[in-house]
Amino acid sequence: MGKLGHGEDILEELTRICVSENITLGRVEAIGAVRKARVGFYDQDSREYNYMDFPYPMEILRLAGNVSVKEGVPMVHAHLVLSDSEGRAFGGHLAAGSEVFACEYLIEAFEGQELVRGYDEATGLTLWTE
Ligand code: ZN
């Protein structure tokens, strides 16, 4: 458990911690606030992520994700629920570009067989291959 630094990129920092701690299998959660956020929505027809920017402060109501392996290195996959100043909730797939105002995270490392990501024909996503 710990806090992410003010002004840091959430996804990059969580990934950096997993790499430096050699965490390749686990789960991630966090709460806090962002100065701005960027989240994705996967368009199942075009098979591309559409990104939404929220260029203003929001609360992180819930960040939930996992850690597995992609191309030989730890990869954090997380989804984010945010709220604005009137309590309205928005969210999506956590993308680079979400900047910490204050953030308390928890990473729980698991023992066991690594889950490895590879291209999935049915969805166009990079999913676990087993
Ligand atoms: Zn996702």
Side-chain angles (χ1 to χ4, degrees):
M1 288 174 64
K3 67 174 183 180
L4 300 181
H6 184 76
E8 300 283 4
D9 185 284
I10 297 175
L11 182 58
E12 289 176 4
E13 275 299 284
L14 291 173
T15 302
R16 187 191 59 74
I17 292 163
C18 290
V19 169
S20 72
E21 300 292 327
N22 199 27
I23 296 168
T24 55
L25 184 69
R27 71 182 191 93
V28 179
E29 63 178 78
I31 55 172
V34 291
R35 299 208 299 199
K36 63 178 185 175
R38 182 170 170 84
V39 298
F41 178 87
Y42 189 68
D43 185 314
Q44 298 176 9
D45 293 323
S46 69
R47 295 185 162 210
E48 289 181 346
Y49 275 98
N50 296 325
Y51 291 97
M52 290 161 277
D53 285 296
F54 300 95
Y56 43 80
M58 299 184 93
E59 294 286 319
I60 302 170
L61 303 183
R62 172 75 168 160
L63 179 155
N66 55 58
V67 186
S68 58
V69 174
K70 182 181 175 186
E71 295 170 355
V73 293
M75 179 193 153
V76 173
H77 177 206
H79 287 193
L80 191 58
V81 182
L82 303 158
S83 71
D84 69 9
S85 60
E86 296 180 13
R88 292 175 298 201
F90 303 89
H93 173 99
L94 174 65
S98 298
E99 191 176 304
V100 173
F101 179 73
C103 185
E104 299 170 350
Y105 73 89
L106 179 162
I107 300 173
E108 185 174 13
F110 300 140
E111 295 180 355
Q113 179 84 35
E114 287 177 350
L115 290 168
V116 176
R117 291 188 181 274
Y119 181 74
D120 178 70
E121 290 281 352
T123 62
L125 291 164
T126 306
L127 301 180
W128 295 325
T129 54
E130 294 179 18

